[in-house]
Amino acid sequence: MKGDDEIEFGKLKISAVPGAHEFLEKNANGAYFNLGFAVKKNDICEVVIEDIGSNGEGIAHADGMTIFVPFALPGEECKVHILKVKDNIAFAKVIEITKSNEERALPKCPYFEKCGGCNFMCLSDQAYYSYKQNIIEKLGFKV
């Protein structure tokens, strides 16, 4: 345990938010395991983005839970605020990117984060084409 204010749980660090720890139990080895869902609405967590979804959102996994994080890229380490939890998925927003993806680019449009029309604008052009090709291949199409 990191201290009274933070618990490491798999790839997830759960900060001291009231009620955040109520689903965790400590085993004989001192490791924490899940009694239910580890994250709740309004938790602040640190996650590593593993993949990118078809809508441009970052995808992280933590102990059986999938967390969708708009504007986050694979390989990035982010501090996120959990906005909604439903079954085994959660939706979060980025508070801080602690380790950035080298393919991240400054969006060309000043309305990028507000509009929602250009989900991949934070990627360099080459990375954009690579990620789009990867998404098409995941759907089972040959490129």
Side-chain angles (χ1 to χ4, degrees), residues 49 56 77 111 131:
I49 305 300
E77 295 175 8
Y111 305 105
Y131 281 114

Side-chain angles (χ1 to χ4, degrees), residues 2 5-15 39 43-50 60-63 67 69 76-82 92-93 95-99:
K2 289 271 190 190
D5 63 340
E6 191 174 88
I7 291 178
E8 284 194 35
F9 181 64
K11 295 179 186 176
L12 193 65
K13 290 181 185 170
I14 302 175
S15 297
V39 295
D43 282 357
I44 305 297
C45 306
E46 291 181 17
V47 297
V48 176
I49 305 300
E50 300 168 12
H61 294 92
D63 301 298
I67 303 172
V69 186
E76 291 185 330
E77 295 175 8
C78 304
K79 184 180 275 188
V80 299
H81 176 215
I82 303 294
K93 71 175 182 177
I95 295 172
E96 177 185 2
I97 298 173
T98 55
K99 180 183 171 195

Side-chain angles (χ1 to χ4, degrees), residues 5 33 41 51 57 80 87 109 111 115 131-132 134 137:
D5 63 340
F33 62 94
K41 184 177 178 179
D51 203 354
E57 73 279 13
V80 299
D87 297 327
C109 176
Y111 305 105
C115 169
Y131 281 114
K132 285 297 235 180
N134 188 23
E137 289 172 353

